[in-house]
């Protein structure tokens, strides 16, 4: 029976609009259907979220996830074309540059705080030797948490801090974390729940942050670790310095335990969602651009600067009071320094444009060429 | 293997890293999944590859409610009930009033002629309904089935239903292909089911690939309805306006037997065992899988503080008219049997018939200003 109905497994993607649906032909499905990673993650596991979430006519989601590091190898015939579509034509033979040397960033310490309200850089890291959130078992998740807590609580100086496990935080701690905008909640987005990332919640999940609340790590949310450096105002340079230094300190500790971060020279840092490969970095600011944001060329300017806009609630939210979240659009194929440089230079330019528009002057001559 | 041997100790140690944290949980699975049982079962799988972690995932993800005790686990296939018997048997026993699958047999009886007094006063009973589920042997259940298996369930059942005749003749509406008009009609008829939103179901994987291979079949008279690939392979529903529960049950039995005959002609059969009766996804629906109920107007009785005791003693449960987890509106209740396993279909429907007749009598007495009696509790099975 199993054999006779096997060729009826191909999903109906006729109403779908996501990267997976564009790439996964019936032939390709047949070719990959019987493969699995050494941890038992299958093609059906990879694509489930994309099958369950047909997508939106305007927003192209990825539609697949990795369950472990090996997924990117075993299912490369599916994932390479998706990566190429998502990351500007990135080829299977391309190499990704990693540069976490904050000193290579030019400027970034003088974004006008009258316009730039806050600055933030985030990325993700996966711990080698464990499967990723769509596939990890409770035991693995707890192992990740244990290692992470060990690493983080050993930090000192500006990185001295505390871990708050989700399942045992007090009401007072929870209240504080909410007020600080640090607390993350059980995922409700079907993009994540259909990929199995909310299983066993809140077991093994938690939040660590330093005493000065400028460096924050989420454990076992959408990735093993999400690392965030942030502060009020426009000193992106300082935010990036702390980001790089903190990451490198953490990585050293994990390496000592023979559990370094997942990384390779083709895909950079390996994360759950193919959209976050490479640097996994989103560096951005909350910036007041009430005039520029209503200018007919706003979106074009962003595209040319290789930036994207979001509302101040994050992805899929609307802007409030002319304040936008502006961040780098790229993740793979350029380094951390290069991506943050684009944010720094681009935001600086847009603030100058805003000031010009305030004075009633035109900005046409300032519109940049495509970066 | 004697307790204390190397194997058991090692297994306990390795599995203890995986054992779920159930300290804040209130469901049947959490009540019975000891670390020792977890260690014994954690590396087992059914022939289809369904594991214990998969079976309990819904119960781990949904800690439950202090007042409402959910089951907290599902079966991914027929074999789950054997492979994970060490956990499922105590869960079944708790949920089904002490029914012990190791020692007891479940009676199946679909002879509707045995029902008496099954035509209720239509001044009180607005509608009557009987539902159950059926699973197709050889194909995995909704938590575990692949797209191909689900499509096969659809194919097998739709083909069989096409063979129904006379008052049972009808047609199929696939969720992926129904027109807007068909959808609106099905909504107006209160037939349409939607993608599950309850985390009890979604965490068990039952909404995967929606709406692929899901659909609704109903007869032309709109009195016999089948849901395909929702929470079970099939949910079979017989219903009518008014109080003729006997006729509803007659159609129910006739339809079920016809469908069974039609699938058997093609070499298929329903999942059924002597110990557990009809095998369904949720252990709460084993045995008959039967819920026979009415929408009944009991405005005075609804305010009587003895109502819950009366219902309990009659082995009935109340729900709002929107179904499970809804509130009663205007004194109209959904009243149905509490039990599923250990008693036959005929016995359960008769229990509902007797119970609803009693409730109507109570309401009539209250209308006349007379007092009512709480009936003695019905005896359950031996």
């Amino acid at each position: 029976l199993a054999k006779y109905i096997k060729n009826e497994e191909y999903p109906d993607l006729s109403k779908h609009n996501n990267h997976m649906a564009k790439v996964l032909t019936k032939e390709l499905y047949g070719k990959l259907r019987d493969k699995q990673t050494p941890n038992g993650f299958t093609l059906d596991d990879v694509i489930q979220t994309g099958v369950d979430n047909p997508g939106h006519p305007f927003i192209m989601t990825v539609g697949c996830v990795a369950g472990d590091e090996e997924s990117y190898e075993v299912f490369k015939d599916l994932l390479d074309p998706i990566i190429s579509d998502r990351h500007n034509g990135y080829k299977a033979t391309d190499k990704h540059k990693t540069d976490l040397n904050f000193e290579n960033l030019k400027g970034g310490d003088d974004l006008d705080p009258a316009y730039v309200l806050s600055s933030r850089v985030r990325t993700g890291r996966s711990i080698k030797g464990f499967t990723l959130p769509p596939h990890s078992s409770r035991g693995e998740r707890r192992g990740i948490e244990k290692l992470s807590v060990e690493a983080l609580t050993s930090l000192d100086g500006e990185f001295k801090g505390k871990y708050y496990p989700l399942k045992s935080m007090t009401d007072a701690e929870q209240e504080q974390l909410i007020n600080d905008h640090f607390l993350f909640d059980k995922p409700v987005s079907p993009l994540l729940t259909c990929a199995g990332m909310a299983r066993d919640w809140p077991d093994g999940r938690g939040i660590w942050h330093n005493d000065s609340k400028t460096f924050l790590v989420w454990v076992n949310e959408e990735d093993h670790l999400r690392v965030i450096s942030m502060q009020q105002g426009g000193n992106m340079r300082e935010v990036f310095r702390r980001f790089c230094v903190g990451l490198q300190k953490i990585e050293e500790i994990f390496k000592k335990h023979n559990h370094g971060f997942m990384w390779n020279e083709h895909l950079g840092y390996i994360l759950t969602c193919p959209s976050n490969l490479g640097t996994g970095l989103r560096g951005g600011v909350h910036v007041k651009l009430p005039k520029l944001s209503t200018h007919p060329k706003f979106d074009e300017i962003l595209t040319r600067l290789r930036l994207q806009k979001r509302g101040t609630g994050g992805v899929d939210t609307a802007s409030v009071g002319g304040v936008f979240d502006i961040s780098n659009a790229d993740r793979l194929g350029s380094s951390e320094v290069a991506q943050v440089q684009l944010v720094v230079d681009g935001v600086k330019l847009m603030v100058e444009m805003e000031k010009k528009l305030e004075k009633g002057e035109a900005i046409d001559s300032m519109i940049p060429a495509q970066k | 293997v004697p307790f204390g041997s190397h194997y058991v100790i090692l297994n306990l140690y390795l599995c203890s890293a995986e054992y779920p944290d159930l300290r804040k949980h209130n469901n049947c699975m959490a009540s019975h999944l000891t670390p020792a049982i977890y260690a014994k079962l954690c590396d087992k799988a059914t022939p289809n590859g369904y594991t214990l972690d998969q079976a309990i995932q819904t119960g781990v993800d949904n800690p439950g409610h202090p007042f409402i005790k959910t089951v907290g686990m599902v079966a991914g296939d027929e074999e789950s009930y054997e492979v994970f018997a060490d956990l499922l048997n105590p869960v079944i026993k708790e949920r089904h009033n002490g029914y012990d699958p190791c020692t007891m047999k479940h009676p199946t009886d679909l002879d509707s002629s045995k029902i008496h007094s099954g035509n209720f006063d239509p001044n009180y009973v607005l509608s009557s309904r009987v539902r159950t589920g059926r699973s197709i042997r050889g194909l995995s259940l909704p938590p575990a089935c692949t797209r191909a298996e689900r499509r096969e369930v659809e194919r097998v059942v739709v083909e069989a239903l096409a063979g129904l005749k006379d008052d049972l003749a009808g047609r199929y509406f696939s969720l992926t292909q129904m027109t807007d008009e068909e959808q609106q009609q099905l909504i107006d008829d209160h037939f349409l089911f939607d993608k599950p939103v309850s985390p009890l179901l979604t965490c068990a994987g039952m909404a995967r690939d929606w709406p692929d291979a899901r659909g609704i079949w109903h007869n032309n008279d709109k009195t016999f309805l089948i849901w395909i690939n929702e929470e079970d392979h099939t949910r079979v529903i017989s219903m009518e306006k008014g109080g003729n529960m006997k006729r509803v049950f007659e159609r129910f039995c006739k339809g079920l037997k016809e469908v069974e005959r039609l699938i058997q002609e093609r070499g298929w059969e329903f999942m059924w065992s002597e110990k557990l009766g009809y095998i369904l996804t949720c252990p709460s629906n084993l045995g008959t899988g039967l819920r026979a109920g009415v929408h009944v107007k009991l405005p005075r009785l609804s305010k009587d503080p003895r109502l819950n005791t009366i219902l309990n003693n009659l082995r009935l449960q109340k729900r709002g008219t929107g179904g499970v987890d809804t509130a009663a509106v205007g004194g109209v209740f959904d009243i149905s049997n509490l039990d599923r396993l250990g008693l036959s279909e005929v016995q359960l429907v008769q229990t509902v018939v007797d119970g609803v007749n009693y409730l109507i009598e109570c309401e009539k007495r209250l209308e006349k200003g007379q007092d009512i009696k709480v009936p003695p509790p019905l005896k359950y099975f031996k």
Side-chain angles (χ1 to χ4, degrees), chain B residues 240-271:
Chain B
E240 322 181 344
K241 291 263 183 257
N244 200 338
M245 177 61 91
K246 181 162 171 129
R247 189 167 62 201
V248 167
F249 187 53
E250 274 168 356
R251 185 182 314 111
F252 176 84
C253 295
K254 177 176 157 198
L256 274 172
K257 287 185 207 155
E258 255 307 281
V259 174
E260 182 160 28
R261 188 187 65 77
L262 287 161
I263 66 166
Q264 280 171 343
E265 262 176 15
R266 291 161 179 77
W268 298 89
E269 52 182 8
F270 292 142
M271 289 185 199

Side-chain angles (χ1 to χ4, degrees), chain A residues 8-9 52 137-139 200, chain B residues 18 53 61 146-147 151 209:
Chain A
E8 288 306 312
E9 291 289 3
D52 289 345
S137 69
R138 281 179 296 274
D200 312 311
Chain B
E18 296 289 352
D53 279 342
D61 290 344
T146 66
R147 278 180 296 277
R151 290 162 178 173
D209 312 313

Side-chain angles (χ1 to χ4, degrees), chain B residues 327-341:
Chain B
V329 176
V332 181
F333 287 91
D334 176 315
I335 302 288
S336 63
N337 52 297
L338 262 172
D339 307 312
R340 304 268 183 274
L341 173 65

